[in-house]
Amino acid sequence: MNTSSLRVQQRCTKHIRCCSVGRDQLNASISTMASPLQIELVPCLKDNYAYLLHDSSSGTTGIVDPSEPGPIKDILSKRRYKLMYILNTHHHYDHTGGNLELKATYGAKVIGPLGEKERIPGIDIALRDGEKWMFGGHEMHVLETPGHTKGHVSFYFPESGVIFTGDTLFSLSCGKLFEGSAEQMWSSLSKIASLSDHVRIFCGHEYTVSNAKFALSIEPGNDALRSYAARASELRSKGLPTVPSTLAEEKSCNPFMRPFSAEIRKSLNVPDTASEAEFLGRVRKAKDKF
């Protein structure tokens, strides 16, 4: 796999680069001049992404949503890091399957949403909406983002301009409403949408190409979406991730965040009088049947 780099200037001191670090380990390193936060995409199972976090200043290391222990152990060994924290966005097994073995092996603390405390394997620290928690030298904000599950949270690092959204917000889609309502999901997406357009979104699955097919079926006249879909297909053809996306890209292309789109409303027969949550519910039902 060839190495590729992408650099985006953020406040003149921040950049992101994405490159390959092995046959199936993909890396993104986000840093500031004062305090670097390194993020590595770790493919798990069929299409999951876990994320290895490392604060080089303090040596703090964590993993977000470890689906399985094997790939996590491999990258920790390769990097010679000691795992200190396991961060879970929600309780589903494909996001927590590695918890207990990783905790037993490294003595790591498991962090998860208070609302799903009883369903997170090995949880040690339960965090609620609005809490701030320090990952090394980096402040992490906990955002409650239910809809996919009742207690789902997202982890936002404002100084680094990144958010880990689990199965709430995907590139070009949102999570299925297994436990929550369309109203809850719309509220969650709105909360994320209130952040800076430059925020980069690290989601739980590589679904972008299939999501793009649905999005294009209901909004074929969206030029930004057509361009984004073509770029995603090209990346996957090269074995590269489509993650992260930016919040600006999601606002321009993700049908679940576009209740103002007359084309989508016409495609799905959503009346102009329907609320944003009703719009999202109709789009979700259409996506489930696509």
Side-chain angles (χ1 to χ4, degrees), residues 34-35 39 107-108 131-132 136 171 174 199 258 263:
S35 180
I39 302 173
E131 283 199 70
K132 298 176 182 178
S171 179
C174 72
V199 166
R258 294 178 56 76
E263 185 175 20

Side-chain angles (χ1 to χ4, degrees), residues 14-191:
K14 301 181 181 180
H15 72 271
I16 176 168
R17 70 178 183 276
C18 299
C19 61
S20 64
V21 293
R23 181 175 62 86
D24 58 2
Q25 302 292 338
L26 298 165
N27 168 275
S29 177
I30 293 177
S31 66
T32 67
M33 293 175 64
S35 180
L37 176 64
Q38 298 170 354
I39 302 173
E40 296 197 35
L41 286 73
V42 186
C44 295
L45 302 178
K46 180 182 178 181
D47 51 36
N48 279 76
Y49 284 138
Y51 297 101
L52 185 70
L53 311 183
H54 183 69
D55 175 10
S56 59
S57 297
S58 65
T60 304
T61 301
I63 190 75
V64 178
D65 286 349
S67 308
E68 55 182 334
I72 313 306
K73 287 183 171 182
D74 288 345
I75 194 64
L76 287 168
S77 176
K78 185 180 295 186
R79 297 285 171 264
R80 299 183 180 181
Y81 293 160
K82 176 177 171 56
L83 186 65
M84 299 169 67
Y85 298 108
I86 298 167
L87 295 90
N88 296 135
T89 59
H90 63 294
H91 70 86
H92 284 163
Y93 185 77
D94 63 328
H95 292 256
T96 64
N99 279 20
L100 296 181
E101 185 171 332
L102 293 172
K103 180 176 181 176
T105 301
Y106 301 101
K109 297 290 186 182
V110 177
I111 299 168
L114 179 64
E116 299 189 0
K117 182 178 180 180
E118 305 304 321
R119 298 192 285 178
I120 301 289
I123 192 167
D124 298 293
I125 302 170
L127 299 177
R128 58 171 53 85
D129 183 49
E131 283 199 70
K132 298 176 182 178
W133 185 80
M134 293 304 297
F135 179 84
H138 299 266
E139 187 175 78
M140 182 185 82
H141 295 192
V142 180
L143 305 183
E144 191 174 56
T145 52
H148 182 65
T149 65
K150 290 182 179 179
H152 196 298
V153 298
S154 297
F155 300 120
Y156 174 47
F157 290 79
E159 292 184 0
S160 297
V162 301
I163 187 169
F164 299 90
T165 58
D167 285 0
T168 293
L169 176 61
F170 298 125
S171 179
L172 302 185
S173 190
C174 72
K176 291 185 177 181
L177 305 178
F178 287 130
E179 298 176 9
S181 65
E183 288 77 14
Q184 287 177 313
M185 181 61 80
W186 176 252
S187 177
S188 296
L189 296 184
S190 296
K191 186 179 293 186

Side-chain angles (χ1 to χ4, degrees), residues 265-278:
R265 285 182 178 258
K266 182 177 180 180
S267 294
L268 298 179
N269 295 314
V270 181
D272 293 340
T273 55
S275 68
E276 289 90 346
E278 290 171 330

Side-chain angles (χ1 to χ4, degrees), residues 163-288:
I163 187 169
F164 299 90
T165 58
D167 285 0
T168 293
L169 176 61
F170 298 125
S171 179
L172 302 185
S173 190
C174 72
K176 291 185 177 181
L177 305 178
F178 287 130
E179 298 176 9
S181 65
E183 288 77 14
Q184 287 177 313
M185 181 61 80
W186 176 252
S187 177
S188 296
L189 296 184
S190 296
K191 186 179 293 186
I192 294 171
S194 71
L195 304 176
S196 168
D197 282 353
H198 298 294
V199 166
R200 293 194 170 264
I201 298 160
F202 290 84
C203 61
H205 293 267
E206 181 57 74
Y207 288 162
T208 310
V209 171
S210 62
N211 288 341
K213 292 177 182 178
F214 169 73
L216 285 168
S217 75
I218 61 174
E219 197 178 19
N222 186 333
D223 292 339
L225 173 59
R226 289 202 301 269
S227 177
Y228 187 88
R231 186 166 71 251
S233 294
E234 182 180 3
L235 286 170
R236 294 308 293 155
S237 72
K238 297 177 180 178
L240 296 173
T242 62
V243 177
S245 61
T246 66
L247 185 53
E249 289 171 331
E250 296 305 321
K251 289 179 179 179
S252 296
C253 303
N254 189 327
F256 292 89
M257 301 184 79
R258 294 178 56 76
F260 52 83
S261 170
E263 185 175 20
I264 295 176
R265 285 182 178 258
K266 182 177 180 180
S267 294
L268 298 179
N269 295 314
V270 181
D272 293 340
T273 55
S275 68
E276 289 90 346
E278 290 171 330
F279 171 90
L280 184 146
R282 293 282 287 272
V283 177
R284 184 66 263 173
K285 286 181 181 179
K287 177 73 162 61
D288 291 344

